[in-house]
Amino acid sequence: MRWRPRNSEGDGLKLGTLVCGVPAEACAASSTLDQLSASIDRFSDKTIDFLANSFDEDAKSFGAFCARVTLENAFAALVGRFDAFRMLYLAEFQAQSSYDYGNAAKSGFKWTGDVLIKDKPLSTLWHVDHEISRISRALFSDHMEVLFWKPAFIAAIDHINELNVDGFERLMAIEPDAFIPQARGECSSMYSQLSKGVHWEFFVSSVMMDEVSLREVMTKSLSVVSALAFVSHFVPTAYRALDRGAAVDAYLQFQGRV
Amino acid sequence: MSTAAVEDLDTGLILAAEECPADKFELYHSFSPTDDVIIRKLSAHGPVLIRGGRGSGKSALLIEAHRRMKGSETVFSIYMSLRYLPLLQSDGAEYVGHFCSLLSKAISQELSDEKSDVLFEFAENEVALQRSLLNLARALNKRIVILFDDAAHIGREKPLEAFFDLFRTLSSSVISCKASIYPGVTKFGIRFDVFNDSTVVDIIRSDVSKDSGYFSEVIASRYPRLADRSIFSDRLTPEVFAKLLGRAVVGNLRGFILACSRFDDNAKISIPEVNACLLAMAQDYYWPLMDEVAPKLGVYEPLIVPAGEIFEKIIENVARPVRHGGRSVAQDRVTIHKNIVSEYAKVFEILEYLGFFAKREASRGMKSGGRGPVYAINLCSVLESVPNSRLTIEMINDWIEGKPELSEIHLSSGMFSGVPMPTLSEDHALGILGKEIDVLAKSKAYPYGLTVDKITRLREYGIKTIQQLADATDAQLMRIEMVGPVAIKRMRDVLQQAIWM
């Protein structure tokens, strides 16, 4: 029987399932994704609670933090599902006695390097002189876009067209060539904006995020993460991918909660 | 949102939202939950570009966002229309100078309206403007949102690079720029990266199969009589009526209001009346739109003829199977191979901008191979081209629900190969400015036009072209016999409609 996401009643379908996919045979990679999935559920649920209720002091103080953790954990999970080596390395490294809370780990998961490319992009994607170290495997790198995201996005919108289901209008309005450039731009600004809400680095009150700005960036972070997570299940080599029908169900169920 | 256009019954003018008197705005506009999401994006921190065709409701959304931010304890907002002729006719430093002056005045006016004690330091260049804005944010202890309306129109690309440069420069942690643009704006300049420097929000309303209540809400708010079940025949409900008209004009609110206004005198509405309305819209609204807009397209003015021819071929393509008996209901959407769209890009942008069709999907796989965007075609033109032009209940249901299979125009079809494409000049002044003021007379293209008497009086005074009328001051116009403040306002309104989209 095909695995189906849980219904939105009871425990309800959560973002962690959409991002981390179907449970797999027990192994280090799968348990790492289980861990990330639980974390994504915890913080995205809190984000949704804040958005659904009157925006109280807790929402103002911790809304950005919850959205930011959701964003980071979700992208770590997607990196891991595309590139299990990176995820396994991080899981193993954190289990070592040398892993020290008091010191920054140079090889730790980083926004610049794991999500966005660290160095200046190559002028051409394919050239015999390119060193392998210059070929970025960051989630939004140009090579990742061409090899993983764009074909997956096209497969996803074709599948939606075959099913003729509602609820995907936002995705259908995006050009395949624009999907990752747009997501990259949105995520960069969201990450930066949410960071300011995490660190509370406000020295003048005019730059503090008010309710409308917080609501917007929190909603947008859930929207962008869920869209990327949905498309990730159309990457044929992605680990723990949902089957296509289940991905559609999972996406629609999550949209119903936001 | 209920309407982007307001009909002033006293004068017969059809006004755009930005020309709606402030005290009447709330009366004529209401906003849906989808609109509320866009309005929130326009009110929140961060740069946003709101994109939509002519009459799609961009201005109303910007104005409503401004209205909602008024009196906020955390935000100071400025709504500013860039409908200012010198901006259209300048570039580079000259454009920046006009822009800074206009924005400075708009901010000072807003502060005055808000009865604020804070004064804005007038700025003449972008560095000074940036500094003045930051000082203002500090003095008010608020973040600032600037809503630029009519920032970018098709055929007016010359000053666009300067505008987007300013948009990017001014955006900061306390200053959020928002601007309305048209589909197909591509010249953002070398410094502006549309994906990194803004969030683009598209206004898409052409699909009525999903959003069940949107156009009904518009009618309930704007034309309550048309929401009354008792005036409709058994086979037509107010909901179906609202959806059909909404779909017929591919979600264009200006077109929708015009279509609704045609039922003012109908005591009873049944399918034949709706049939007549759609056919009249094809004749009186869509085709005259080409004549009206052509001289406003600047360098792209010569493309209006091929645009008409290409649209006719698209219509012919969806009507042919009905004419030959292969289908009973004409296809209302078409997938066009992306290479064709790319080859005739500006033509497609013009047609989309005018509302002849609306892009429904960005990329769909075609049966014959390849991919292309899906366009929803206005039903007025489709109905006009099918045999007998008779609207049936089957057509209504299929079109509302989006049932007909998509039509396709393949790369190998050569369908548009016979359409001659003119060579565009490097630079082209707006044709409308050089036109005689006679074109402003009341007509199908200008239903809000001037009387013959007023045109004659203007001519006798020496004002013969639209440029001359635009340059004339109120004091000069007041010297003309039988021309007072009311007539001047009407001239200014007509001029706005003629020059701007």
Side-chain angles (χ1 to χ4, degrees):
Chain A
M1 194 178 83
R2 195 180 79 169
W3 182 87
R4 307 289 296 184
R6 284 171 295 173
N7 193 281
S8 58
E9 292 176 7
D11 284 346
L13 176 80
K14 299 189 174 181
L15 186 62
T17 308
L18 182 60
V19 174
C20 299
V22 63
E25 186 179 335
C27 64
S30 193
S31 61
T32 305
L33 280 176
D34 287 342
Q35 156 67 24
L36 285 169
S37 181
S39 176
I40 293 165
D41 284 348
R42 181 178 173 194
F43 287 97
S44 62
D45 279 358
K46 198 68 194 162
T47 309
I48 292 168
D49 281 348
F50 285 145
L51 290 170
N53 297 305
S54 62
F55 219 68
D56 58 13
E57 282 305 312
D58 277 359
K60 287 174 192 162
S61 302
F62 307 120
F65 173 74
C66 292
R68 162 77 185 265
V69 175
T70 303
L71 197 69
E72 278 190 292
N73 280 195
F75 290 161
L78 290 175
V79 165
R81 289 187 44 230
F82 287 179
D83 184 359
F85 173 84
R86 181 70 180 130
M87 179 172 63
L88 286 170
Y89 169 82
L90 288 165
E92 193 62 31
F93 175 63
Q94 290 189 1
Q96 301 297 313
S97 59
S98 57
Y99 181 68
D100 178 8
Y101 281 140
N103 288 308
K106 287 186 178 174
S107 61
F109 186 84
K110 291 194 171 61
W111 182 260
T112 303
D114 282 305
V115 179
L116 302 179
I117 59 168
K118 192 176 178 184
D119 303 315
K120 200 178 160 194
L122 295 164
S123 54
T124 56
L125 280 180
W126 316 109
H127 197 280
V128 289
D129 289 338
H130 287 344
E131 299 281 349
I132 191 69
S133 59
R134 297 281 328 268
I135 311 293
S136 171
R137 294 166 80 155
L139 194 63
F140 293 144
S141 75
D142 290 346
H143 284 90
M144 201 63 105
E145 180 193 2
V146 169
L147 297 173
F148 283 58
W149 286 115
K150 191 176 163 187
F153 180 76
I154 289 171
I157 56 176
D158 284 351
H159 184 71
I160 295 161
N161 275 325
E162 275 174 33
L163 294 180
N164 196 21
V165 287
D166 299 342
F168 289 91
E169 292 72 23
R170 199 184 78 84
L171 278 181
M172 305 293 266
I174 301 173
E175 297 275 356
D177 285 338
F179 179 61
I180 285 303
Q182 188 174 312
R184 187 163 45 208
E186 287 178 331
C187 291
S188 297
S189 68
M190 275 193 300
Y191 182 82
S192 174
Q193 197 179 342
L194 291 170
S195 300
K196 293 183 174 59
V198 170
H199 302 304
W200 275 86
E201 48 189 67
F202 304 122
F203 295 92
V204 285
S205 58
S206 58
V207 298
M208 273 178 62
M209 273 185 282
D210 51 8
E211 180 178 335
V212 68
S213 296
L214 263 173
R215 276 188 179 277
E216 174 57 22
V217 71
M218 288 161 67
T219 308
K220 195 169 163 185
S221 64
L222 295 177
S223 167
V224 173
V225 165
S226 59
L228 287 160
F230 167 69
V231 172
S232 75
H233 298 291
F234 292 80
V235 174
T237 55
Y239 179 52
R240 292 208 343 176
L242 300 173
D243 76 42
R244 294 175 171 200
V248 168
D249 291 345
Y251 179 79
L252 291 176
Q253 282 195 41
F254 181 70
Q255 294 306 309
R257 294 186 63 211
V258 179
Chain B
M1 179 195 44
S2 74
T3 171
V6 176
E7 188 174 6
D8 184 328
L9 297 175
D10 294 329
T11 62
L13 288 176
I14 303 290
L15 301 175
E18 59 272 31
E19 288 154 12
C20 179
D23 59 339
K24 288 186 178 173
F25 187 87
E26 195 172 357
L27 178 69
Y28 289 123
H29 297 81
S30 63
F31 296 86
S32 71
T34 313
D35 292 329
D36 287 338
V37 172
I38 298 176
I39 290 166
R40 188 183 68 207
K41 289 179 187 295
L42 292 172
S43 310
H45 171 75
V48 170
L49 297 177
I50 176 169
R51 181 165 56 193
R54 183 180 187 265
S56 60
K58 302 182 294 296
S59 298
L61 289 164
L62 289 169
I63 292 169
E64 179 62 11
H66 177 58
R67 280 166 43 83
R68 291 188 191 181
M69 283 185 275
K70 266 184 181 291
S72 163
E73 290 179 0
T74 57
V75 196
F76 175 74
S77 85
I78 304 115
Y79 167 83
M80 180 178 148
S81 171
L82 295 179
R83 288 183 171 200
Y84 181 60
L85 206 48
L87 281 179
L88 201 60
Q89 295 171 314
S90 60
D91 194 8
E94 190 188 351
Y95 178 96
V96 173
H98 288 309
F99 180 94
C100 293
S101 167
L102 265 183
L103 183 54
S104 295
K105 284 179 191 162
I107 293 171
S108 297
Q109 184 62 51
E110 188 64 33
L111 287 166
S112 166
D113 292 348
E114 296 250 303
K115 299 186 171 41
S116 170
D117 296 332
V118 176
L119 293 176
F120 185 73
E121 302 150 47
F122 193 91
E124 290 179 336
N125 59 60
E126 58 189 295
V127 175
L129 182 60
Q130 197 175 27
R131 191 178 53 237
S132 295
L133 282 165
L134 292 172
N135 288 342
L136 177 66
R138 192 170 300 165
L140 294 170
N141 203 18
K142 292 178 179 181
R143 64 185 176 90
I144 295 173
V145 171
I146 313 174
L147 303 143
F148 295 109
D149 201 1
D150 281 303
H153 277 295
I154 199 162
R156 294 153 194 225
E157 277 92 348
K158 193 179 167 192
L160 277 187
E161 292 194 17
F163 171 76
F164 285 112
D165 217 15
L166 284 160
F167 185 98
R168 185 177 182 275
T169 303
L170 296 180
S171 297
S172 71
S173 57
V174 286
I175 300 158
S176 305
C177 296
K178 323 278 179 173
S180 60
I181 62 169
Y182 64 82
V185 168
T186 49
K187 293 188 179 175
F188 294 105
I190 49 169
R191 288 190 60 213
F192 190 86
D193 179 333
V194 70
F195 295 126
N196 282 315
D197 295 327
S198 69
T199 297
V200 180
V201 179
D202 284 300
I203 302 179
I204 303 169
R205 305 184 200 279
S206 69
D207 189 352
V208 295
S209 65
K210 292 156 188 130
D211 190 3
S212 57
Y214 184 78
F215 288 103
S216 293
E217 282 174 26
V218 174
I219 283 182
S221 157
R222 186 71 186 86
Y223 293 92
R225 199 179 71 84
L226 298 179
D228 180 358
R229 177 71 185 89
S230 67
I231 68 162
F232 289 93
S233 66
D234 291 345
R235 304 181 80 190
L236 204 59
T237 64
E239 292 74 28
V240 168
F241 173 80
K243 280 185 170 187
L244 178 63
L245 288 197
R247 171 61 193 85
V249 296
V250 288
N252 186 292
L253 284 167
R254 196 173 298 188
F256 184 73
I257 292 298
L258 282 167
C260 288
S261 68
R262 289 172 184 267
F263 293 93
D264 277 345
D265 300 327
N266 288 76
K268 200 80 182 169
I269 300 173
S270 56
I271 293 175
E273 282 78 39
V274 179
N275 196 153
C277 166
L278 299 189
L279 292 176
M281 286 286 285
Q283 284 298 319
D284 299 345
Y285 174 67
Y286 281 103
W287 293 119
L289 210 51
M290 293 265 190
D291 298 330
E292 183 202 333
V293 168
K296 303 179 190 181
L297 290 176
V299 67
Y300 302 119
E301 186 176 345
L303 293 182
I304 206 78
V305 173
E309 289 181 32
I310 283 178
F311 185 68
E312 281 180 333
K313 287 181 183 294
I314 292 170
I315 289 292
E316 167 63 18
N317 193 55
V318 296
R320 196 183 306 115
V322 182
R323 201 171 298 134
H324 295 163
R327 290 179 181 277
S328 56
V329 176
Q331 293 150 297
D332 62 331
R333 290 161 297 154
V334 57
T335 312
I336 304 178
H337 195 282
K338 63 181 180 181
N339 290 6
I340 298 176
V341 176
S342 172
E343 186 179 350
Y344 299 96
K346 275 293 164 210
V347 164
F348 278 87
E349 285 163 16
I350 290 169
L351 290 169
E352 194 183 354
Y353 183 73
L354 297 182
F356 278 76
F357 52 50
K359 193 185 278 186
R360 181 71 69 80
E361 293 170 28
S363 177
R364 182 183 272 244
M366 300 175 75
K367 285 178 188 163
S368 56
R371 309 186 67 82
V374 176
Y375 293 96
I377 309 167
N378 86 75
L379 299 179
C380 308
S381 302
V382 174
L383 186 65
E384 188 187 32
S385 63
V386 297
N388 304 323
S389 295
R390 197 169 69 84
L391 184 67
T392 65
I393 192 73
E394 184 191 7
M395 287 175 179
I396 293 173
N397 291 336
D398 281 11
W399 284 340
I400 284 178
E401 288 168 27
K403 270 188 185 169
E405 189 184 15
L406 267 66
S407 171
E408 290 193 350
I409 298 179
H410 312 295
L411 192 56
S412 58
S413 68
M415 190 176 290
F416 306 138
S417 56
V419 178
M421 292 297 288
T423 306
L424 302 178
S425 61
E426 280 298 304
D427 196 10
H428 191 290
L430 283 184
I432 189 72
L433 296 174
K435 289 212 177 265
E436 302 270 319
I437 53 169
D438 301 57
V439 300
L440 298 179
K442 194 166 175 154
S443 65
K444 282 181 180 174
Y446 294 98
Y448 38 76
L450 298 179
T451 62
V452 175
D453 175 64
K454 288 289 179 291
I455 290 171
T456 308
R457 287 177 189 281
L458 285 169
R459 283 192 155 281
E460 284 171 358
Y461 188 71
I463 295 175
K464 295 185 171 63
T465 66
I466 288 180
Q467 175 81 64
Q468 288 171 332
L469 181 57
D471 291 342
T473 63
D474 284 4
Q476 288 171 319
L477 293 173
M478 286 287 278
R479 289 188 205 123
I480 303 173
E481 196 180 350
M482 299 296 286
V483 171
V486 174
I488 290 174
K489 182 180 181 312
R490 181 161 187 153
M491 286 174 192
R492 297 279 180 232
D493 287 342
V494 175
L495 209 52
Q496 287 279 313
Q497 292 285 330
I499 296 173
W500 305 98
M501 300 287 191

